[in-house]
């Protein structure tokens, strides 16, 4: 049975992924990470989806990693079963074929911010606080807080959060580029739906390719982006049709250089 703490709903061209563990402020354990990876698979498999929304149930967006889930692990378990696995899942989320809009309806601290930064567009409610408090616990960000977050928001902003322990308001975060838009409390999901509809109305193929091109330019997912774009291009050529026909007919291919 699927973990009900990660919900996936499809609304026409929009997919909504919700972390649904409100009693724990939507903090993640291993099973939720697995379910989030499965949610990405569901979104990818639905050809009708053009954009996805990520949010949290209740008053929180996500408190990040559940301390009880990793607090008793050995260093080896912590580094591999927790940090590396979570990193892979968040990478999966960040590289969805469709744009991802985060509706940050509650505080995004530590792993919660790392979750939010995986999105292409971030909309935060005004009361939200944003930061990386890990070093105050004697640990470091582990789910790309010093990697993807640096690429997307800049090293100096991350230094202020990770080294200085600064916590930013939503309005401050918008000025710093951590979020793209600030709305009033209770309005993040509706605003995300509006923005998602805006994306869904545009050319889906062009949007998907543009996301890959931006990923390449920003140094993210270069290998996947280049090979995906190249494969899409080649898949439309007459040469590929001839190559497949020749293979099926057990003859030598006669390529005409047809694009």
């Amino acid at each position: 049975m699927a973990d009900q703490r990660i919900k996936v709903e499809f609304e026409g061209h929009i997919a909504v992924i919700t972390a649904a563990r409100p009693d724990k402020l939507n903090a993640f354990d291993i099973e939720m990470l697995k379910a989030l990876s499965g949610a990405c698979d569901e979104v990818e498999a639905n050809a009708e989806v053009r954009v996805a929304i990520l949010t949290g149930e209740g008053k929180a967006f996500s408190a990040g990693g559940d301390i009880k889930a990793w607090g008793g692990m050995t260093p080896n378990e912590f580094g591999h079963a927790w940090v590396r696995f979570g990193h892979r899942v968040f990478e999966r989320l960040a590289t969805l074929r469709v744009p991802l809009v985060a509706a940050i309806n509650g505080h995004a601290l530590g792993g919660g911010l790392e979750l939010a930064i995986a999105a292409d567009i971030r909309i935060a409610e005004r009361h939200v606080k944003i930061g990386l408090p890990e070093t105050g616990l004697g640990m470091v960000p582990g789910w790309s807080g010093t990697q993807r977050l640096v690429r997307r928001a800049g090293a100096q902003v991350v230094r202020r959060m990770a080294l200085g322990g600064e916590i930013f308001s939503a309005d401050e975060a918008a000025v710093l580029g951590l979020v793209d838009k600030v709305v009033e409390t209770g309005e993040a999901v509706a605003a995300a739906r509006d923005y998602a509809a805006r994306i869904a109305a545009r050319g889906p193929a062009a949007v998907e390719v543009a996301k890959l091109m931006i990923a390449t330019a920003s140094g993210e997912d270069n290998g996947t982006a280049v090979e995906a774009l190249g494969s899409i291009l080649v898949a439309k050529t007459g040469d590929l049709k001839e190559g497949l026909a020749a293979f099926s007919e057990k003859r030598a291919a006669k390529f005409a250089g047809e694009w």
Side-chain angles (χ1 to χ4, degrees):
M1 182 177 179
D3 193 321
Q4 298 302 307
R5 297 173 300 171
I6 296 293
K7 299 178 181 179
V8 184
E9 300 170 289
F10 297 103
E11 304 169 359
H13 295 308
I14 299 173
V16 181
I17 303 172
T18 305
R21 194 189 184 193
D23 57 316
K24 297 295 183 180
L25 301 180
N26 301 321
F28 278 77
D29 57 19
I30 290 292
E31 293 306 315
M32 283 183 71
L33 287 172
K34 292 178 180 178
L36 180 59
S37 182
C40 291
D41 291 339
E42 286 189 57
V43 172
E44 292 278 10
N46 190 329
E48 293 299 313
V49 174
R50 298 182 181 181
V51 60
I53 294 171
L54 174 67
T55 193
E57 187 175 285
K59 65 180 181 180
F61 177 68
S62 174
D66 185 344
I67 294 177
K68 290 184 178 180
W70 59 262
M73 291 182 175
T74 66
N76 186 61
E77 290 171 337
F78 180 69
H80 291 85
W82 182 256
V83 174
R84 292 190 66 180
F85 179 65
H87 203 283
R88 290 197 300 271
V89 174
F90 280 27
E91 185 74 11
R92 182 82 175 85
L93 188 66
T95 56
L96 281 174
R97 67 172 177 81
V98 298
L100 179 65
V101 182
I104 308 173
N105 56 313
H107 300 332
L109 301 170
L113 176 54
E114 292 168 317
L115 180 67
I117 212 68
D120 299 286
I121 302 293
R122 289 170 292 283
I123 299 173
E125 295 181 3
R126 198 170 302 279
H127 70 284
V128 163
K129 301 295 182 184
I130 289 175
L132 295 172
E134 286 92 340
T135 54
L137 294 174
M139 63 179 295
V140 295
W143 290 343
S144 206
T146 62
Q147 304 302 307
R148 181 178 301 108
L149 186 52
V150 168
R151 291 192 296 268
R152 294 191 174 185
Q156 195 58 31
V157 174
V158 177
R159 287 189 181 99
R160 291 175 63 182
M161 292 187 292
L163 305 183
E166 292 189 51
I167 302 295
F168 300 121
S169 67
D171 288 321
E172 291 171 329
V175 172
L176 295 169
L178 290 164
V179 302
D180 300 292
K181 184 177 182 179
V182 178
V183 296
E184 298 305 320
T185 298
E187 296 180 2
V189 174
R193 289 182 189 278
D194 288 343
Y195 206 96
R198 176 177 183 163
I199 293 173
R202 307 182 76 79
V207 167
E208 183 175 344
V209 170
K211 176 171 177 172
L212 286 169
M213 293 169 70
I214 294 166
T216 300
S218 61
E220 295 187 21
D221 199 36
N222 284 348
T224 300
V226 170
E227 292 184 354
L229 289 171
S231 297
I232 291 170
L233 175 62
V234 171
K236 297 178 181 294
T237 65
D239 277 356
L240 176 60
K241 294 177 182 178
E242 165 60 14
L244 292 175
F247 178 82
S248 177
E249 297 165 11
K250 298 181 180 181
R251 59 174 174 79
K254 299 178 180 179
F255 295 118
E258 295 182 7
W259 286 82

